[in-house]
Amino acid sequence: MSKRTIVAMPGDGIGKAVLDETIRLLDAAGFEADYVEGDIGWEFWKSEGNPLPERTIDLIKKHKIGLFGAITSKPKDAAFEELSQELKNKGLVYSSPIVGLRQHFGLDICMRPCHTYKGNPLNFIRRGPGNTIEEPAVDVVIFRQNTEGLYGGVEWSNPPGDVYDALMTHNKFVKNFGNTPKEEISVSTRIFTKTGTTRILRAAFEHAKKYGYKSVTVCEKPNVIRETSGMMFKMAEQIQRNDFPEIQLWNTNIDAQMMWLTKNPEDYGVIVAGNMFGDIVSDGFAGLIGGLGFACSAQFNPETGIGVFEPTHGSAPKYADYETSIVNPIAMVESACMMLDFIEENDMAARIRKAVAEVIEEGHVRTYDMMKMRGTAQVVNEGAASTVKMTDAIIAKL
Ligand code: NAI
Ligand code: MG
């Protein structure tokens, strides 16, 4: 097989530490690849006024596969404040480079698996009958529509006249907001398309079928958000009926789902949702399996074969400058395994996952989060494994 080129985008803060270690692990596992560095993140916003420079887009277009660490994002005003002096009068507005990447390449399928690792001290436990303690085995894969909905970026404060006029044609708007001055109104839209909705639903059902999950749960709010959530559920019914009759279709509301999270998380298989609810429900499930140190994700476009693989955590700036990095690399490592699956290096992915699982189950090497410590720079002197040491332990198991 020809050698791959992977676009490595460390981004900001702890992104670099977890990505460097993951690449070291991939090398050790025998994954043959060249890595080119893609610039992304806060530094490039400050110095160039663009956190996602065109050259990075070009690299991804060319090589198709990206591994991404994490970036720092800040609100509009703070972003402007930190912009380099000579760029300040250019009318630049900060927007998230991750969202930019998703939208530029139509990475509309976001997949976030959450499964319990045996022996992880962070596993969710609950009371069972009598005075028993149960540790339910969670094995859920969340499919989140990644480019539309509430994160689609179509929003205004003090909306322009024609937008306002259009809103005034809706009787609910007239009734609830018609007397509010336009300047006081902010609007964030939630747009779902049939194309985007079909793609995420099909990806979810296909995954359920391929990996033997018995159910697909649409987690939205169709009883209230009738047009968008309602459309998604109706389309799911149709797809299930026509093409996946062997898979059960369940329907939960996002709010109720968050409550059931701790009651019966083991009952769910594949979950599919729009952009924001998918974000929420995936963080919720991630909390049951160890939190941000374990939560991985893939975002891809099945047609173009372009995919970017990243942990769901951010840049954790308060830990970024520690002399020895203390953060857990497993979320990034598992994201790299999703990359390997995507490019059909399934055996290698399985081998790395097995090594990770063994290290966790043995419990000799644990990062600070697994030891429930506060993340100070001292934790490595107090028995917690550093990022490097955890990676070493996984490599040793390969
Ligand atoms: P965060 O995920 O960076 O950190 C929150 C806390 O989670 C940390 O303080 C740390 O205690 C823990 N944590 C995160 N990653 C960990 C790891 N690998 N191992 C162990 N513990 C870990 O979220 P926060 O603090 O809300 O945001 C920091 C910056 O990151 C912000 O600028 C935010 O906009 C950005 N962000 C970027 C994301 C991305 O690049 N995809 C996602 C989320 C936030
Ligand atoms: Mg999130």
Side-chain angles (χ1 to χ4, degrees):
M1 214 197 90
S2 67
K3 206 169 172 185
R4 284 256 171 196
T5 301
I6 308 290
V7 183
M9 293 170 278
D12 303 304
I14 63 167
K16 182 168 168 50
V18 294
L19 184 53
D20 282 352
E21 286 308 290
T22 297
I23 290 174
R24 184 164 72 87
L25 189 146
L26 287 169
D27 285 342
F31 179 54
E32 289 190 21
D34 291 319
Y35 296 88
V36 290
E37 185 156 330
D39 296 337
I40 191 167
W42 199 245
E43 193 189 315
F44 302 97
W45 161 252
K46 288 199 297 187
S47 59
E48 301 176 24
N50 183 2
L52 178 60
E54 212 44 50
R55 57 186 180 278
T56 304
I57 302 251
D58 291 341
L59 281 177
I60 295 172
K61 197 188 286 165
K62 181 163 173 206
H63 301 297
K64 294 191 174 256
I65 303 293
L67 275 178
F68 166 69
I71 47 119
T72 297
S73 272
K74 296 186 189 179
K76 233 162 75 176
D77 298 344
F80 183 75
E81 195 67 16
E82 292 188 34
L83 191 57
S84 102
Q85 203 50 44
E86 64 275 16
L87 294 170
K88 279 212 162 108
N89 58 0
K90 295 212 162 32
L92 298 166
V93 180
Y94 179 81
S95 68
S96 160
I98 306 294
V99 177
L101 263 186
R102 289 171 190 157
Q103 284 171 348
H104 185 91
F105 290 110
L107 307 177
D108 62 334
I109 312 292
C110 173
M111 190 179 152
R112 294 182 170 179
C114 294
H115 71 91
T116 304
Y117 293 92
K118 220 170 165 184
N120 187 349
L122 300 176
N123 286 343
F124 167 67
I125 54 171
R126 72 176 169 224
R127 282 186 198 287
N131 223 359
T132 55
I133 297 288
E134 300 172 333
E135 190 173 309
V138 176
D139 180 11
V140 159
V141 186
I142 290 111
F143 281 79
R144 162 192 178 193
Q145 206 297 329
N146 216 24
T147 48
E148 306 185 340
L150 259 179
Y151 300 170
V154 183
E155 47 185 7
W156 304 267
S157 285
N158 186 11
D162 45 357
V163 172
Y164 183 79
D165 292 345
L167 291 168
M168 284 295 269
T169 65
H170 197 294
N171 58 19
K172 290 247 170 72
F173 186 86
V174 175
K175 188 163 162 247
N176 296 326
F177 309 104
N179 293 325
T180 308
K182 190 166 83 71
E183 308 75 53
E184 281 187 27
I185 291 175
S186 289
V187 182
S188 301
T189 63
R190 187 177 197 263
I191 299 171
F192 281 32
T193 66
K194 283 197 169 156
T195 306
T197 305
T198 304
R199 282 164 63 90
I200 195 69
L201 288 169
R202 286 206 166 274
F205 276 105
E206 273 156 20
H207 189 86
K209 185 172 177 172
K210 185 167 173 193
Y211 293 97
Y213 288 94
K214 69 174 194 296
S215 66
V216 168
T217 301
V218 175
C219 177
E220 279 281 324
K221 187 90 184 175
N223 57 333
V224 179
I225 319 177
R226 291 167 192 277
E227 299 305 325
T228 45
S229 295
M231 176 177 89
M232 182 177 256
F233 188 67
K234 255 192 265 149
M235 291 177 74
E237 284 182 314
Q238 204 174 28
I239 290 171
Q240 187 263 351
R241 206 178 317 121
N242 294 341
D243 299 326
F244 301 91
E246 71 282 17
I247 295 168
Q248 296 169 33
L249 172 64
W250 297 356
N251 178 20
T252 58
N253 285 343
I254 177 70
D255 47 348
Q257 180 75 68
M258 297 315 280
M259 179 184 63
W260 291 328
L261 208 60
T262 52
K263 285 190 106 165
N264 61 339
E266 67 272 44
D267 290 348
Y268 299 92
V270 170
I271 293 182
V272 57
N275 208 338
M276 186 190 199
F277 295 162
D279 199 12
I280 293 172
V281 75
S282 58
D283 273 13
F285 273 98
L288 304 177
I289 60 118
L292 290 172
F294 296 86
C296 55
S297 83
Q299 36 196 355
F300 52 89
N301 180 328
E303 266 79 66
T304 60
I306 294 178
V308 175
F309 303 83
E310 54 158 327
T312 67
H313 64 71
S315 60
K318 58 185 184 198
Y319 305 159
D321 298 327
Y322 291 176
E323 208 171 298
T324 303
S325 170
I326 64 163
V327 293
N328 191 343
I330 290 176
M332 182 82 237
V333 169
E334 288 281 344
S335 305
C337 289
M338 296 184 83
M339 172 193 80
L340 292 174
D341 278 338
F342 188 71
I343 59 177
E344 293 179 349
E345 293 277 359
N346 306 81
D347 291 346
M348 196 172 297
R351 207 151 54 81
I352 297 173
R353 288 192 180 110
K354 184 163 169 281
V356 170
E358 281 173 19
V359 170
I360 296 172
E361 189 168 2
E362 274 181 13
H364 302 315
V365 180
R366 287 175 170 168
T367 43
Y368 84 95
D369 51 324
M370 300 173 77
M371 300 178 77
K372 305 178 195 201
M373 297 166 108
R374 255 173 26 86
T376 65
Q378 269 64 59
V379 294
V380 284
N381 303 324
E382 293 161 2
S386 65
T387 311
V388 170
K389 193 166 166 201
M390 176 54 94
T391 311
D392 284 341
I394 301 168
I395 289 174
K397 292 285 181 199
L398 284 172

